[in-house]
PDB file of all heavy atoms in Angstrom:
ATOM      1  N   VAL X   1      15.507  52.845   7.843  1.00 98.00           N
ATOM      2  CA  VAL X   1      15.676  53.744   6.710  1.00 98.00           C
ATOM      3  C   VAL X   1      14.908  55.043   6.952  1.00 98.00           C
ATOM      4  O   VAL X   1      13.744  55.024   7.375  1.00 98.00           O
ATOM      5  CB  VAL X   1      15.184  53.089   5.405  1.00 98.00           C
ATOM      6  CG1 VAL X   1      15.347  54.040   4.222  1.00 98.00           C
ATOM      7  CG2 VAL X   1      15.929  51.776   5.152  1.00 98.00           C
ATOM      8  N   VAL X   2      15.568  56.168   6.680  1.00 98.00           N
ATOM      9  CA  VAL X   2      14.906  57.471   6.712  1.00 98.00           C
ATOM     10  C   VAL X   2      14.911  58.040   5.305  1.00 98.00           C
ATOM     11  O   VAL X   2      15.942  58.046   4.626  1.00 98.00           O
ATOM     12  CB  VAL X   2      15.595  58.437   7.690  1.00 98.00           C
ATOM     13  CG1 VAL X   2      15.014  59.840   7.552  1.00 98.00           C
ATOM     14  CG2 VAL X   2      15.419  57.956   9.123  1.00 98.00           C
ATOM     15  N   PHE X   3      13.751  58.515   4.872  1.00 98.00           N
ATOM     16  CA  PHE X   3      13.571  59.076   3.534  1.00 98.00           C
ATOM     17  C   PHE X   3      13.232  60.558   3.683  1.00 98.00           C
ATOM     18  O   PHE X   3      12.219  60.913   4.286  1.00 98.00           O
ATOM     19  CB  PHE X   3      12.444  58.338   2.809  1.00 98.00           C
ATOM     20  CG  PHE X   3      12.221  58.774   1.381  1.00 98.00           C
ATOM     21  CD1 PHE X   3      12.953  58.204   0.355  1.00 98.00           C
ATOM     22  CD2 PHE X   3      11.271  59.737   1.062  1.00 98.00           C
ATOM     23  CE1 PHE X   3      12.748  58.590  -0.960  1.00 98.00           C
ATOM     24  CE2 PHE X   3      11.054  60.128  -0.247  1.00 98.00           C
ATOM     25  CZ  PHE X   3      11.799  59.552  -1.266  1.00 98.00           C
ATOM     26  N   LEU X   4      14.082  61.435   3.143  1.00 96.00           N
ATOM     27  CA  LEU X   4      13.864  62.876   3.205  1.00 96.00           C
ATOM     28  C   LEU X   4      13.309  63.362   1.872  1.00 96.00           C
ATOM     29  O   LEU X   4      13.862  63.076   0.811  1.00 96.00           O
ATOM     30  CB  LEU X   4      15.165  63.621   3.498  1.00 96.00           C
ATOM     31  CG  LEU X   4      15.827  63.414   4.858  1.00 96.00           C
ATOM     32  CD1 LEU X   4      16.795  62.235   4.825  1.00 96.00           C
ATOM     33  CD2 LEU X   4      16.565  64.668   5.292  1.00 96.00           C
ATOM     34  N   THR X   5      12.213  64.141   1.927  1.00 95.00           N
ATOM     35  CA  THR X   5      11.614  64.653   0.704  1.00 95.00           C
ATOM     36  C   THR X   5      10.903  65.965   0.995  1.00 95.00           C
ATOM     37  O   THR X   5      10.745  66.362   2.155  1.00 95.00           O
ATOM     38  CB  THR X   5      10.646  63.623   0.096  1.00 95.00           C
ATOM     39  OG1 THR X   5      10.181  64.079  -1.177  1.00 95.00           O
ATOM     40  CG2 THR X   5       9.449  63.370   1.014  1.00 95.00           C
ATOM     41  N   HIS X   6      10.467  66.672  -0.070  1.00 92.00           N
ATOM     42  CA  HIS X   6       9.805  67.959   0.135  1.00 92.00           C
ATOM     43  C   HIS X   6       8.383  67.771   0.654  1.00 92.00           C
ATOM     44  O   HIS X   6       7.989  68.339   1.660  1.00 92.00           O
ATOM     45  CB  HIS X   6       9.828  68.805  -1.135  1.00 92.00           C
ATOM     46  CG  HIS X   6       9.443  68.090  -2.400  1.00 92.00           C
ATOM     47  ND1 HIS X   6       9.063  66.776  -2.460  1.00 92.00           N
ATOM     48  CD2 HIS X   6       9.395  68.549  -3.683  1.00 92.00           C
ATOM     49  CE1 HIS X   6       8.787  66.441  -3.702  1.00 92.00           C
ATOM     50  NE2 HIS X   6       8.983  67.497  -4.473  1.00 92.00           N
ATOM     51  N   TYR X   7       7.565  66.975  -0.035  1.00 90.00           N
ATOM     52  CA  TYR X   7       6.218  66.608   0.397  1.00 90.00           C
ATOM     53  C   TYR X   7       5.866  65.308  -0.304  1.00 90.00           C
ATOM     54  O   TYR X   7       6.615  64.846  -1.180  1.00 90.00           O
ATOM     55  CB  TYR X   7       5.196  67.715   0.085  1.00 90.00           C
ATOM     56  CG  TYR X   7       4.948  67.910  -1.394  1.00 90.00           C
ATOM     57  CD1 TYR X   7       3.869  67.309  -2.031  1.00 90.00           C
ATOM     58  CD2 TYR X   7       5.803  68.692  -2.161  1.00 90.00           C
ATOM     59  CE1 TYR X   7       3.656  67.477  -3.385  1.00 90.00           C
ATOM     60  CE2 TYR X   7       5.599  68.868  -3.518  1.00 90.00           C
ATOM     61  CZ  TYR X   7       4.521  68.259  -4.125  1.00 90.00           C
ATOM     62  OH  TYR X   7       4.319  68.411  -5.470  1.00 90.00           O
ATOM     63  N   ILE X   8       4.773  64.701   0.075  1.00 93.00           N
ATOM     64  CA  ILE X   8       4.393  63.423  -0.533  1.00 93.00           C
ATOM     65  C   ILE X   8       3.172  63.633  -1.417  1.00 93.00           C
ATOM     66  O   ILE X   8       2.047  63.775  -0.915  1.00 93.00           O
ATOM     67  CB  ILE X   8       4.085  62.350   0.525  1.00 93.00           C
ATOM     68  CG1 ILE X   8       5.270  62.155   1.468  1.00 93.00           C
ATOM     69  CG2 ILE X   8       3.745  61.029  -0.160  1.00 93.00           C
ATOM     70  CD1 ILE X   8       5.003  61.153   2.582  1.00 93.00           C
ATOM     71  N   PRO X   9       3.341  63.659  -2.735  1.00 90.00           N
ATOM     72  CA  PRO X   9       2.174  63.705  -3.619  1.00 90.00           C
ATOM     73  C   PRO X   9       1.427  62.383  -3.557  1.00 90.00           C
ATOM     74  O   PRO X   9       2.024  61.338  -3.263  1.00 90.00           O
ATOM     75  CB  PRO X   9       2.788  63.948  -4.999  1.00 90.00           C
ATOM     76  CG  PRO X   9       4.192  63.451  -4.887  1.00 90.00           C
ATOM     77  CD  PRO X   9       4.610  63.641  -3.465  1.00 90.00           C
ATOM     78  N   PRO X  10       0.128  62.392  -3.810  1.00 88.00           N
ATOM     79  CA  PRO X  10      -0.658  61.158  -3.671  1.00 88.00           C
ATOM     80  C   PRO X  10      -0.107  59.985  -4.470  1.00 88.00           C
ATOM     81  O   PRO X  10      -0.142  58.841  -4.003  1.00 88.00           O
ATOM     82  CB  PRO X  10      -2.050  61.574  -4.174  1.00 88.00           C
ATOM     83  CG  PRO X  10      -2.112  63.041  -3.933  1.00 88.00           C
ATOM     84  CD  PRO X  10      -0.725  63.548  -4.158  1.00 88.00           C
ATOM     85  N   TYR X  11       0.412  60.250  -5.674  1.00 88.00           N
ATOM     86  CA  TYR X  11       0.882  59.147  -6.517  1.00 88.00           C
ATOM     87  C   TYR X  11       2.145  58.489  -5.987  1.00 88.00           C
ATOM     88  O   TYR X  11       2.505  57.405  -6.429  1.00 88.00           O
ATOM     89  CB  TYR X  11       1.111  59.629  -7.947  1.00 88.00           C
ATOM     90  CG  TYR X  11       2.088  60.779  -8.081  1.00 88.00           C
ATOM     91  CD1 TYR X  11       3.457  60.576  -8.008  1.00 88.00           C
ATOM     92  CD2 TYR X  11       1.622  62.070  -8.285  1.00 88.00           C
ATOM     93  CE1 TYR X  11       4.342  61.636  -8.124  1.00 88.00           C
ATOM     94  CE2 TYR X  11       2.505  63.139  -8.408  1.00 88.00           C
ATOM     95  CZ  TYR X  11       3.856  62.920  -8.324  1.00 88.00           C
ATOM     96  OH  TYR X  11       4.733  63.968  -8.437  1.00 88.00           O
ATOM     97  N   GLN X  12       2.844  59.133  -5.037  1.00 93.00           N
ATOM     98  CA  GLN X  12       4.081  58.556  -4.520  1.00 93.00           C
ATOM     99  C   GLN X  12       3.848  57.678  -3.290  1.00 93.00           C
ATOM    100  O   GLN X  12       4.732  56.924  -2.876  1.00 93.00           O
ATOM    101  CB  GLN X  12       5.066  59.679  -4.171  1.00 93.00           C
ATOM    102  CG  GLN X  12       6.505  59.214  -4.025  1.00 93.00           C
ATOM    103  CD  GLN X  12       7.454  60.372  -3.781  1.00 93.00           C
ATOM    104  OE1 GLN X  12       7.180  61.268  -2.988  1.00 93.00           O
ATOM    105  NE2 GLN X  12       8.569  60.369  -4.477  1.00 93.00           N
ATOM    106  N   VAL X  13       2.650  57.754  -2.732  1.00 95.00           N
ATOM    107  CA  VAL X  13       2.364  57.056  -1.480  1.00 95.00           C
ATOM    108  C   VAL X  13       2.586  55.554  -1.616  1.00 95.00           C
ATOM    109  O   VAL X  13       3.270  54.925  -0.790  1.00 95.00           O
ATOM    110  CB  VAL X  13       0.923  57.341  -1.015  1.00 95.00           C
ATOM    111  CG1 VAL X  13       0.546  56.435   0.159  1.00 95.00           C
ATOM    112  CG2 VAL X  13       0.777  58.807  -0.611  1.00 95.00           C
ATOM    113  N   GLN X  14       2.032  54.947  -2.651  1.00 96.00           N
ATOM    114  CA  GLN X  14       2.093  53.498  -2.780  1.00 96.00           C
ATOM    115  C   GLN X  14       3.510  53.006  -3.049  1.00 96.00           C
ATOM    116  O   GLN X  14       3.895  51.917  -2.611  1.00 96.00           O
ATOM    117  CB  GLN X  14       1.144  53.024  -3.882  1.00 96.00           C
ATOM    118  CG  GLN X  14      -0.337  53.244  -3.565  1.00 96.00           C
ATOM    119  CD  GLN X  14      -0.796  52.466  -2.354  1.00 96.00           C
ATOM    120  OE1 GLN X  14      -0.661  52.927  -1.222  1.00 96.00           O
ATOM    121  NE2 GLN X  14      -1.338  51.291  -2.589  1.00 96.00           N
ATOM    122  N   VAL X  15       4.306  53.797  -3.770  1.00 97.00           N
ATOM    123  CA  VAL X  15       5.699  53.413  -4.008  1.00 97.00           C
ATOM    124  C   VAL X  15       6.490  53.451  -2.703  1.00 97.00           C
ATOM    125  O   VAL X  15       7.263  52.535  -2.392  1.00 97.00           O
ATOM    126  CB  VAL X  15       6.344  54.317  -5.071  1.00 97.00           C
ATOM    127  CG1 VAL X  15       7.829  53.972  -5.247  1.00 97.00           C
ATOM    128  CG2 VAL X  15       5.613  54.171  -6.409  1.00 97.00           C
ATOM    129  N   LEU X  16       6.297  54.510  -1.913  1.00 97.00           N
ATOM    130  CA  LEU X  16       6.987  54.593  -0.624  1.00 97.00           C
ATOM    131  C   LEU X  16       6.531  53.481   0.311  1.00 97.00           C
ATOM    132  O   LEU X  16       7.345  52.910   1.063  1.00 97.00           O
ATOM    133  CB  LEU X  16       6.746  55.953   0.019  1.00 97.00           C
ATOM    134  CG  LEU X  16       7.398  57.154  -0.687  1.00 97.00           C
ATOM    135  CD1 LEU X  16       7.095  58.443   0.072  1.00 97.00           C
ATOM    136  CD2 LEU X  16       8.899  56.961  -0.826  1.00 97.00           C
ATOM    137  N   LYS X  17       5.250  53.145   0.278  1.00 97.00           N
ATOM    138  CA  LYS X  17       4.772  52.049   1.114  1.00 97.00           C
ATOM    139  C   LYS X  17       5.394  50.715   0.684  1.00 97.00           C
ATOM    140  O   LYS X  17       5.669  49.855   1.524  1.00 97.00           O
ATOM    141  CB  LYS X  17       3.242  51.967   1.050  1.00 97.00           C
ATOM    142  CG  LYS X  17       2.533  53.071   1.821  1.00 97.00           C
ATOM    143  CD  LYS X  17       1.022  52.945   1.727  1.00 97.00           C
ATOM    144  CE  LYS X  17       0.514  51.718   2.450  1.00 97.00           C
ATOM    145  NZ  LYS X  17      -0.973  51.652   2.447  1.00 97.00           N
ATOM    146  N   ALA X  18       5.612  50.556  -0.620  1.00 97.00           N
ATOM    147  CA  ALA X  18       6.255  49.331  -1.101  1.00 97.00           C
ATOM    148  C   ALA X  18       7.678  49.215  -0.573  1.00 97.00           C
ATOM    149  O   ALA X  18       8.154  48.109  -0.283  1.00 97.00           O
ATOM    150  CB  ALA X  18       6.249  49.308  -2.631  1.00 97.00           C
ATOM    151  N   ILE X  19       8.371  50.353  -0.432  1.00 97.00           N
ATOM    152  CA  ILE X  19       9.702  50.328   0.183  1.00 97.00           C
ATOM    153  C   ILE X  19       9.578  50.044   1.672  1.00 97.00           C
ATOM    154  O   ILE X  19      10.311  49.215   2.228  1.00 97.00           O
ATOM    155  CB  ILE X  19      10.430  51.670  -0.043  1.00 97.00           C
ATOM    156  CG1 ILE X  19      10.644  51.921  -1.538  1.00 97.00           C
ATOM    157  CG2 ILE X  19      11.771  51.679   0.690  1.00 97.00           C
ATOM    158  CD1 ILE X  19      11.233  53.285  -1.864  1.00 97.00           C
ATOM    159  N   ALA X  20       8.646  50.728   2.330  1.00 97.00           N
ATOM    160  CA  ALA X  20       8.475  50.576   3.775  1.00 97.00           C
ATOM    161  C   ALA X  20       8.173  49.134   4.165  1.00 97.00           C
ATOM    162  O   ALA X  20       8.619  48.653   5.215  1.00 97.00           O
ATOM    163  CB  ALA X  20       7.367  51.502   4.269  1.00 97.00           C
ATOM    164  N   GLU X  21       7.420  48.446   3.325  1.00 96.00           N
ATOM    165  CA  GLU X  21       7.046  47.067   3.632  1.00 96.00           C
ATOM    166  C   GLU X  21       8.224  46.109   3.553  1.00 96.00           C
ATOM    167  O   GLU X  21       8.152  44.994   4.068  1.00 96.00           O
ATOM    168  CB  GLU X  21       5.941  46.618   2.670  1.00 96.00           C
ATOM    169  CG  GLU X  21       4.604  47.296   2.937  1.00 96.00           C
ATOM    170  CD  GLU X  21       3.602  47.070   1.823  1.00 96.00           C
ATOM    171  OE1 GLU X  21       3.977  46.368   0.840  1.00 96.00           O
ATOM    172  OE2 GLU X  21       2.480  47.584   1.905  1.00 96.00           O
ATOM    173  N   ARG X  22       9.323  46.527   2.942  1.00 97.00           N
ATOM    174  CA  ARG X  22      10.466  45.642   2.743  1.00 97.00           C
ATOM    175  C   ARG X  22      11.589  45.859   3.753  1.00 97.00           C
ATOM    176  O   ARG X  22      12.588  45.149   3.722  1.00 97.00           O
ATOM    177  CB  ARG X  22      11.017  45.821   1.329  1.00 97.00           C
ATOM    178  CG  ARG X  22      10.041  45.412   0.229  1.00 97.00           C
ATOM    179  CD  ARG X  22       9.740  43.935   0.248  1.00 97.00           C
ATOM    180  NE  ARG X  22      10.934  43.149   0.499  1.00 97.00           N
ATOM    181  CZ  ARG X  22      11.880  42.921  -0.405  1.00 97.00           C
ATOM    182  NH1 ARG X  22      11.775  43.413  -1.619  1.00 97.00           N
ATOM    183  NH2 ARG X  22      12.943  42.204  -0.085  1.00 97.00           N
ATOM    184  N   VAL X  23      11.464  46.879   4.626  1.00 97.00           N
ATOM    185  CA  VAL X  23      12.529  47.160   5.587  1.00 97.00           C
ATOM    186  C   VAL X  23      11.962  47.101   7.009  1.00 97.00           C
ATOM    187  O   VAL X  23      10.752  47.196   7.225  1.00 97.00           O
ATOM    188  CB  VAL X  23      13.181  48.536   5.321  1.00 97.00           C
ATOM    189  CG1 VAL X  23      13.786  48.573   3.928  1.00 97.00           C
ATOM    190  CG2 VAL X  23      12.199  49.678   5.513  1.00 97.00           C
ATOM    191  N   ARG X  24      12.877  46.965   7.956  1.00 96.00           N
ATOM    192  CA  ARG X  24      12.449  46.849   9.356  1.00 96.00           C
ATOM    193  C   ARG X  24      11.744  48.108   9.849  1.00 96.00           C
ATOM    194  O   ARG X  24      10.746  48.044  10.563  1.00 96.00           O
ATOM    195  CB  ARG X  24      13.663  46.542  10.238  1.00 96.00           C
ATOM    196  CG  ARG X  24      13.382  46.574  11.745  1.00 96.00           C
ATOM    197  CD  ARG X  24      14.543  46.003  12.531  1.00 96.00           C
ATOM    198  NE  ARG X  24      15.815  46.609  12.197  1.00 96.00           N
ATOM    199  CZ  ARG X  24      16.284  47.745  12.758  1.00 96.00           C
ATOM    200  NH1 ARG X  24      15.545  48.399  13.648  1.00 96.00           N
ATOM    201  NH2 ARG X  24      17.472  48.214  12.430  1.00 96.00           N
ATOM    202  N   ASP X  25      12.271  49.269   9.483  1.00 97.00           N
ATOM    203  CA  ASP X  25      11.709  50.529   9.962  1.00 97.00           C
ATOM    204  C   ASP X  25      11.890  51.577   8.871  1.00 97.00           C
ATOM    205  O   ASP X  25      12.968  51.690   8.292  1.00 97.00           O
ATOM    206  CB  ASP X  25      12.420  50.962  11.247  1.00 97.00           C
ATOM    207  CG  ASP X  25      11.660  52.042  12.002  1.00 97.00           C
ATOM    208  OD1 ASP X  25      10.544  52.375  11.572  1.00 97.00           O
ATOM    209  OD2 ASP X  25      12.181  52.550  13.011  1.00 97.00           O
ATOM    210  N   PHE X  26      10.840  52.336   8.584  1.00 98.00           N
ATOM    211  CA  PHE X  26      10.890  53.322   7.511  1.00 98.00           C
ATOM    212  C   PHE X  26      10.262  54.616   8.000  1.00 98.00           C
ATOM    213  O   PHE X  26       9.105  54.651   8.415  1.00 98.00           O
ATOM    214  CB  PHE X  26      10.140  52.821   6.282  1.00 98.00           C
ATOM    215  CG  PHE X  26      10.296  53.676   5.050  1.00 98.00           C
ATOM    216  CD1 PHE X  26      11.452  53.631   4.301  1.00 98.00           C
ATOM    217  CD2 PHE X  26       9.274  54.515   4.640  1.00 98.00           C
ATOM    218  CE1 PHE X  26      11.601  54.401   3.154  1.00 98.00           C
ATOM    219  CE2 PHE X  26       9.401  55.297   3.507  1.00 98.00           C
ATOM    220  CZ  PHE X  26      10.569  55.243   2.758  1.00 98.00           C
ATOM    221  N   LYS X  27      11.039  55.682   7.975  1.00 97.00           N
ATOM    222  CA  LYS X  27      10.606  56.984   8.476  1.00 97.00           C
ATOM    223  C   LYS X  27      10.721  58.010   7.356  1.00 97.00           C
ATOM    224  O   LYS X  27      11.707  58.025   6.612  1.00 97.00           O
ATOM    225  CB  LYS X  27      11.494  57.411   9.657  1.00 97.00           C
ATOM    226  CG  LYS X  27      11.170  58.776  10.232  1.00 97.00           C
ATOM    227  CD  LYS X  27       9.939  58.706  11.097  1.00 97.00           C
ATOM    228  CE  LYS X  27       9.647  60.051  11.761  1.00 97.00           C
ATOM    229  NZ  LYS X  27       8.443  60.008  12.594  1.00 97.00           N
ATOM    230  N   VAL X  28       9.714  58.896   7.237  1.00 97.00           N
ATOM    231  CA  VAL X  28       9.739  59.947   6.232  1.00 97.00           C
ATOM    232  C   VAL X  28       9.864  61.294   6.907  1.00 97.00           C
ATOM    233  O   VAL X  28       9.102  61.613   7.829  1.00 97.00           O
ATOM    234  CB  VAL X  28       8.468  59.921   5.356  1.00 97.00           C
ATOM    235  CG1 VAL X  28       8.539  61.024   4.296  1.00 97.00           C
ATOM    236  CG2 VAL X  28       8.288  58.566   4.690  1.00 97.00           C
ATOM    237  N   LEU X  29      10.833  62.102   6.467  1.00 96.00           N
ATOM    238  CA  LEU X  29      10.982  63.484   6.921  1.00 96.00           C
ATOM    239  C   LEU X  29      10.569  64.408   5.789  1.00 96.00           C
ATOM    240  O   LEU X  29      11.153  64.365   4.699  1.00 96.00           O
ATOM    241  CB  LEU X  29      12.427  63.770   7.337  1.00 96.00           C
ATOM    242  CG  LEU X  29      12.976  62.993   8.533  1.00 96.00           C
ATOM    243  CD1 LEU X  29      14.416  63.407   8.817  1.00 96.00           C
ATOM    244  CD2 LEU X  29      12.124  63.221   9.773  1.00 96.00           C
ATOM    245  N   LEU X  30       9.556  65.252   6.038  1.00 95.00           N
ATOM    246  CA  LEU X  30       9.047  66.170   5.028  1.00 95.00           C
ATOM    247  C   LEU X  30       9.510  67.590   5.299  1.00 95.00           C
ATOM    248  O   LEU X  30       9.569  68.029   6.451  1.00 95.00           O
ATOM    249  CB  LEU X  30       7.509  66.171   5.021  1.00 95.00           C
ATOM    250  CG  LEU X  30       6.776  64.873   4.702  1.00 95.00           C
ATOM    251  CD1 LEU X  30       5.279  65.134   4.681  1.00 95.00           C
ATOM    252  CD2 LEU X  30       7.245  64.301   3.379  1.00 95.00           C
ATOM    253  N   SER X  31       9.776  68.320   4.218  1.00 91.00           N
ATOM    254  CA  SER X  31      10.057  69.741   4.369  1.00 91.00           C
ATOM    255  C   SER X  31       8.777  70.529   4.635  1.00 91.00           C
ATOM    256  O   SER X  31       8.790  71.527   5.351  1.00 91.00           O
ATOM    257  CB  SER X  31      10.735  70.285   3.102  1.00 91.00           C
ATOM    258  OG  SER X  31      11.979  69.677   2.898  1.00 91.00           O
ATOM    259  N   THR X  32       7.661  70.095   4.055  1.00 90.00           N
ATOM    260  CA  THR X  32       6.377  70.780   4.223  1.00 90.00           C
ATOM    261  C   THR X  32       5.256  69.769   4.007  1.00 90.00           C
ATOM    262  O   THR X  32       5.424  68.822   3.221  1.00 90.00           O
ATOM    263  CB  THR X  32       6.238  71.943   3.216  1.00 90.00           C
ATOM    264  OG1 THR X  32       4.988  72.607   3.409  1.00 90.00           O
ATOM    265  CG2 THR X  32       6.308  71.454   1.790  1.00 90.00           C
ATOM    266  N   PRO X  33       4.117  69.915   4.666  1.00 83.00           N
ATOM    267  CA  PRO X  33       3.010  68.986   4.409  1.00 83.00           C
ATOM    268  C   PRO X  33       2.524  69.052   2.966  1.00 83.00           C
ATOM    269  O   PRO X  33       2.208  68.028   2.358  1.00 83.00           O
ATOM    270  CB  PRO X  33       1.922  69.453   5.387  1.00 83.00           C
ATOM    271  CG  PRO X  33       2.652  70.200   6.457  1.00 83.00           C
ATOM    272  CD  PRO X  33       3.820  70.842   5.775  1.00 83.00           C
ATOM    273  N   ILE X  34       2.462  70.271   2.400  1.00 82.00           N
ATOM    274  CA  ILE X  34       2.014  70.449   1.024  1.00 82.00           C
ATOM    275  C   ILE X  34       2.489  71.813   0.541  1.00 82.00           C
ATOM    276  O   ILE X  34       2.609  72.745   1.329  1.00 82.00           O
ATOM    277  CB  ILE X  34       0.466  70.338   0.917  1.00 82.00           C
ATOM    278  CG1 ILE X  34       0.018  70.295  -0.547  1.00 82.00           C
ATOM    279  CG2 ILE X  34      -0.207  71.457   1.676  1.00 82.00           C
ATOM    280  CD1 ILE X  34      -1.472  69.999  -0.708  1.00 82.00           C
ATOM    281  N   GLU X  35       2.782  71.927  -0.749  1.00 76.00           N
ATOM    282  CA  GLU X  35       3.184  73.215  -1.301  1.00 76.00           C
ATOM    283  C   GLU X  35       1.952  74.039  -1.664  1.00 76.00           C
ATOM    284  O   GLU X  35       0.904  73.482  -2.017  1.00 76.00           O
ATOM    285  CB  GLU X  35       4.082  73.014  -2.523  1.00 76.00           C
ATOM    286  CG  GLU X  35       5.444  72.431  -2.169  1.00 76.00           C
ATOM    287  CD  GLU X  35       6.369  72.289  -3.359  1.00 76.00           C
ATOM    288  OE1 GLU X  35       5.866  72.165  -4.488  1.00 76.00           O
ATOM    289  OE2 GLU X  35       7.598  72.270  -3.133  1.00 76.00           O
ATOM    290  N   PRO X  36       2.055  75.373  -1.595  1.00 73.00           N
ATOM    291  CA  PRO X  36       0.874  76.227  -1.799  1.00 73.00           C
ATOM    292  C   PRO X  36       0.201  76.078  -3.155  1.00 73.00           C
ATOM    293  O   PRO X  36      -0.993  76.327  -3.279  1.00 73.00           O
ATOM    294  CB  PRO X  36       1.444  77.649  -1.617  1.00 73.00           C
ATOM    295  CG  PRO X  36       2.648  77.473  -0.766  1.00 73.00           C
ATOM    296  CD  PRO X  36       3.231  76.148  -1.164  1.00 73.00           C
TER     297      PRO X  36
END
């Protein structure tokens, strides 16, 4: 699974990890590390 998003706010980390733990491979593509 590949997940495309703008950036990862701290509160979203644990939800994405919960998805990642349930699939064989989980990759995140970010548009930017952080917004200004």
Side-chain angles (χ1 to χ4, degrees):
V1 179
V2 172
F3 184 86
L4 294 89
T5 186
H6 46 1
Y7 68 97
I8 304 177
Y11 57 78
Q12 197 176 44
V13 171
Q14 294 297 86
V15 176
L16 292 181
K17 286 180 68 176
I19 298 174
E21 289 168 0
R22 296 295 319 284
V23 300
R24 173 169 52 86
D25 195 5
F26 188 77
K27 178 77 176 179
V28 181
L29 296 180
L30 299 183
S31 297
T32 181
I34 189 172
E35 291 183 334

